[in-house]
Amino acid sequence: PFIGGQEGGGFVAAVTPEAEAQGVKVGDRVAYSSVFQTYAEYTAVPANKCVTVPEEVPLDVAVSCGVQGMTAHYLTHSAHAGLVKPGEWMLIHGTGSGTCQWAAQMAKLRGYKVIGTCSESKQDIARATGVDELIVYKEAPGTSYEDYSSVDLVPKVMEITGGEGVKAVIDGIGLATWETSIEVLARRGIFVSFGNASGAVPAFPPLRFINKSGFLTRPKLNDYTVTREELLSRANDIYGWINSGDLKVAVDRCFPLEQAVEGHDYLEAGKSRGKVLYEI
């Protein structure tokens, strides 16, 4: 049998002496991520993964900050290795749903100029992130997913950027977008490939980057929350922005845990317009 889930939140029910020594107490209101088997009433969570949730932040919002919020933070703050500077262009795919709703807002907080992409039915969500420019795809028949063949992305991006391209691409789509993501890079730009929503990016020769001396990274969250200090630094930024109103977190639906199948069907159909949670 398989127990799904890798993030969650609630109240601490029991602690070990080691956890107590790290400041985790019974009754603490916490959120956590990068912990497996969280589709459960109780989850054994390492103390260094627990983040205390401020009273002013609702628990469902805090749980939403786990994987997607932390991922958006490292994508816009760290993964690009400083190759994009405030005032320069960044392309973020999929700003109408999931992680990249967050990433678009955080990129604007960092001072980048942002081009977003989305499907027709999610234009309102994508525009609300504050992107400077939005490229809208038609939807694949019978779905809420983008039909990436419906728009010629490269000339649109080049027109927006005055022919220079973007200094960074944040791409969680994968198979359907990786080639255009490389094509729209500016000189010494970086392709940040972090997801496989349409399928995995295939192996390809590094020579593809010679045209603009581009860079590639394929990051994951655990490598950007290596220490507890790094984890808390990112969490504190996110909670601070939520509290100040600078970051809007969309909790789309909350299913009872016994409806996990329905929740997964909802996600797989591309219907989500924000975070999908399960509740016990």
Side-chain angles (χ1 to χ4, degrees):
F2 172 76
I3 301 173
Q6 58 172 314
E7 59 188 333
F11 295 88
V12 175
V15 295
T16 64
E18 293 81 6
E20 200 165 21
Q22 293 185 50
V24 181
K25 306 182 299 298
V26 172
D28 282 355
R29 185 168 171 261
V30 299
Y32 49 87
S33 59
S34 300
V35 176
F36 294 109
Q37 301 185 340
T38 61
Y39 288 10
E41 186 175 0
Y42 296 98
T43 303
V45 180
N48 64 359
K49 297 284 190 182
C50 287
V51 177
T52 301
V53 179
E55 285 301 320
E56 59 270 17
V57 177
L59 190 59
D60 60 343
V61 171
V63 172
S64 301
C65 296
V67 172
Q68 290 185 331
M70 293 288 190
T71 297
H73 192 286
Y74 87 73
L75 289 172
T76 53
H77 287 65
S78 308
H80 53 67
L83 292 168
V84 57
K85 301 290 191 296
E88 295 182 326
W89 284 104
M90 174 183 286
L91 170 66
I92 303 178
H93 290 287
T95 51
S97 57
T99 300
C100 287
Q101 274 189 62
W102 297 63
Q105 294 178 72
M106 292 183 194
K108 291 302 299 176
L109 288 170
R110 294 280 288 176
Y112 307 132
K113 293 189 291 186
V114 179
I115 303 170
T117 73
C118 69
S119 64
E120 289 177 321
S121 65
K122 296 180 179 179
Q123 290 184 65
D124 57 330
I125 300 171
R127 292 191 191 283
T129 66
V131 294
D132 297 275
E133 300 284 347
L134 185 64
I135 296 172
V136 179
Y137 291 99
K138 296 184 183 301
E139 293 169 355
T143 77
S144 298
Y145 289 122
E146 293 90 336
D147 174 1
Y148 291 100
S149 66
S150 66
V151 172
D152 192 353
L153 181 75
V154 176
K156 286 187 174 292
V157 170
M158 290 303 176
E159 180 182 358
I160 291 168
T161 61
E164 291 189 7
V166 296
K167 294 295 288 189
V169 178
I170 293 177
D171 186 342
I173 308 302
L175 182 62
T177 53
W178 71 274
E179 291 184 285
T180 51
S181 289
I182 293 173
E183 287 184 54
V184 299
L185 286 177
R187 182 172 287 110
R188 298 202 300 249
I190 185 167
F191 172 31
V192 181
S193 175
F194 80 96
N196 313 301
S198 65
V201 175
F204 63 91
L207 199 61
R208 291 293 296 265
F209 288 97
I210 196 171
N211 188 41
K212 296 284 185 70
S213 297
F215 295 82
L216 165 68
T217 183
R218 200 339 178 161
K220 67 179 188 297
L221 177 58
N222 281 348
D223 289 325
Y224 286 89
T225 50
V226 176
T227 65
R228 181 157 178 77
E229 291 72 24
E230 189 172 34
L231 172 70
L232 293 179
S233 174
R234 297 191 192 283
N236 289 337
D237 277 352
I238 293 168
Y239 291 154
W241 292 327
I242 291 170
N243 191 39
S244 68
D246 290 325
L247 181 65
K248 306 295 191 298
V249 177
V251 179
D252 181 18
R253 290 192 61 179
C254 192
F255 290 86
L257 184 58
E258 57 267 26
Q259 294 181 13
V261 172
E262 289 89 338
H264 278 265
D265 288 342
Y266 184 77
L267 285 169
E268 289 173 15
K271 295 178 180 178
S272 64
R273 296 168 62 87
K275 188 68 175 178
V276 176
L277 301 172
Y278 295 117
E279 184 176 22
I280 299 173

